[in-house]
């Protein structure tokens, strides 16, 4: 069996309105680009038809029982078959059809390739408080703490070398995983690339799983104190 070069990984919790479309986009990218890859859904306890719809659309689905954004992604990274992993939310906020720049940077040897939404946020895609307070402030603190130039610490679309990510001992189970993976790559001395991406409005038609104050505090706690589960 040929080596799988890329796993497109999506954490999932009750995303039946959007998951199939995201899987189809990712599979179309793999088909049109010629990249040998897979689409992997890390299902984090969905009680709707998300898992079934993802399978029907052509994804491999793994169940991650320990709840939390970080736990879902860590479980997905461990289950991935690809040399590289590109992760993104399955709510239509990111474009899985155009991942060429990510795979190019990964092939060039960058162990972490970050998306940056700050220059391309579609109307209605990000609340005012997140765009002008939360993301800039937390990213500024992250840059200071981890000595990196990453502009957007919270972009959910990012790619990395799977083995190098596993070697970092990632352990944060909540939303602060987004900060942990950047921090640990940066402190390891890894060179990090950043690519401009577009953030589109959430297509699920319901409230996000994100809880602004709680999750913001988890990021701050990680920046200053590390993971405390």
């Amino acid at each position: 069996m040929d080596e799988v070069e890329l796993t497109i990984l999506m954490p999932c919790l009750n995303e039946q309105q959007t998951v199939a479309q995201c899987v189809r986009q990712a599979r179309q990218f793999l088909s049109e680009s010629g990249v040998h890859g897979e689409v992997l859904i890390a299902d984090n306890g969905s009680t709707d038809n998300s898992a079934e719809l993802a399978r029907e659309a052509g994804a491999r689905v793994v169940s991650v029982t320990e709840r939390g954004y970080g736990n879902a992604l860590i479980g997905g990274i461990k289950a991935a078959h690809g040399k590289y992993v590109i992760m993104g939310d399955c709510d239509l906020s990111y474009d899985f059809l155009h991942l060429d720049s990510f795979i190019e940077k990964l092939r060039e040897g960058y162990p972490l390739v970050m998306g940056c939404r700050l220059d391309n946020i579609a109307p209605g895609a990000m609340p005012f408080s997140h765009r002008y307070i939360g993301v800039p402030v937390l990213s500024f603190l992250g840059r200071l703490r981890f000595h990196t130039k990453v502009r957007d610490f919270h972009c959910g679309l990012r790619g990395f070398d799977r083995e190098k990510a596993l070697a970092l001992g990632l352990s944060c189970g909540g939303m602060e995983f987004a900060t942990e993976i950047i921090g640990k790559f940066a402190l390891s001395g890894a060179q990090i690339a950043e690519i401009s991406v577009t953030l589109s409005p959430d297509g699920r038609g319901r409230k996000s799983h994100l809880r602004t104050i709680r999750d913001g505090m988890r990021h701050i706690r990680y920046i200053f104190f590390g993971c405390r589960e």
Side-chain angles (χ1 to χ4, degrees), residues 13 15 89 91 125 127 130 175 202 204-212 214-215:
L13 176 60
E15 318 286 2
D89 302 326
D91 59 5
H130 293 193
M175 290 291 184
D202 185 325
R204 295 172 294 186
R206 60 166 172 77
K207 289 183 65 175
S208 168
H209 297 305
L210 181 68
R211 298 294 178 265
T212 300
R214 181 199 66 183
D215 292 324

Side-chain angles (χ1 to χ4, degrees), residues 128-199:
F128 180 93
S129 61
H130 293 193
R131 183 171 186 174
Y132 296 106
I133 302 173
V135 172
V137 169
L138 292 174
S139 296
F140 173 74
L141 292 175
R143 286 193 295 274
L144 288 180
R145 170 67 178 83
F146 302 116
H147 310 291
T148 178
K149 296 181 180 179
V150 172
R151 293 177 62 207
D152 183 3
F153 264 62
H154 298 147
C155 181
L157 187 62
R158 53 186 76 186
F160 45 86
D161 183 294
R162 175 179 175 272
E163 290 299 327
K164 291 178 180 178
L166 289 173
L168 296 174
L170 301 167
S171 62
C172 289
M175 290 291 184
E176 72 276 19
F177 173 88
T179 295
E180 180 192 24
I181 192 169
I182 299 171
K184 287 189 172 179
F185 266 115
L187 292 178
S188 75
Q191 191 174 10
I192 301 173
E194 197 164 22
I195 293 170
S196 181
V197 300
T198 298
L199 182 70

Side-chain angles (χ1 to χ4, degrees), residues 27-76:
R27 284 176 53 83
Q28 183 176 339
F29 164 75
L30 293 173
S31 175
E32 293 179 352
S33 67
V35 175
H36 185 201
E38 64 170 352
V39 181
L40 178 63
I41 299 295
D43 188 74
N44 203 206
S46 294
T47 56
D48 62 7
N49 293 321
S50 296
E52 292 82 358
L53 291 170
R55 289 190 187 95
E56 289 173 3
R60 182 164 65 93
V61 179
V62 294
S63 178
V64 182
T65 56
E66 191 169 2
R67 294 291 285 269
Y69 176 77
N71 287 323
L73 286 166
I74 291 168

Side-chain angles (χ1 to χ4, degrees), residues 9-21:
L9 170 63
M10 305 176 198
C12 178
L13 176 60
N14 294 329
E15 318 286 2
Q16 66 178 6
Q17 299 299 322
T18 54
V19 65
Q21 187 172 344

